[in-house]
Amino acid sequence: AGLNGQLGPECTVEDKPQYETCPEEYVGLACLTAAMVGVMQILASVLKLGFLVTFLGHPVISGFTSGAAIIIALSQLKYVLGYDLPKSQYIY
């Protein structure tokens, strides 16, 4: 995978997402990303880096948590209301 987010020229097809063109490579990269994040979290825990959160202001932590909650709630509306919004660069 390149640094620009492309899986490679063989996985680039006009008007088709890369996860549909090369699903094996896409799943492999997703698993690798999850494993790397897990290793970083374990390393941060072992090094006791949790104190760094105290340097963030309460509004920053509150805003991040509220933003995450809003994104999760909006992503579940399609199941509750039965209405699917098409994805765009503004709506995930």
Side-chain angles (χ1 to χ4, degrees):
L3 295 176
N4 61 356
Q6 299 291 321
L7 292 177
E10 66 277 357
C11 293
T12 304
V13 176
E14 189 78 25
D15 297 331
K16 195 169 185 185
Q18 288 182 340
Y19 64 86
E20 289 180 2
T21 308
C22 296
E24 296 85 15
E25 289 84 0
Y26 195 81
V27 169
L29 287 175
C31 291
L32 177 64
T33 303
M36 288 176 60
V37 169
V39 167
M40 288 190 299
Q41 286 183 340
I42 291 171
L43 186 63
S45 174
V46 168
L47 295 175
K48 308 282 187 197
L49 297 179
F51 73 93
L52 293 174
V53 176
T54 59
F55 294 115
L56 297 174
H58 178 71
V60 173
I61 295 172
S62 177
F64 180 78
T65 305
S66 298
I70 290 170
I71 289 173
I72 291 170
L74 289 177
S75 70
Q76 297 303 310
L77 277 180
K78 62 182 170 185
Y79 302 113
V80 174
L81 301 176
Y83 183 73
D84 192 21
L85 292 174
K87 290 187 179 182
S88 72
Q89 70 183 46
Y90 303 109
I91 299 173
Y92 182 73

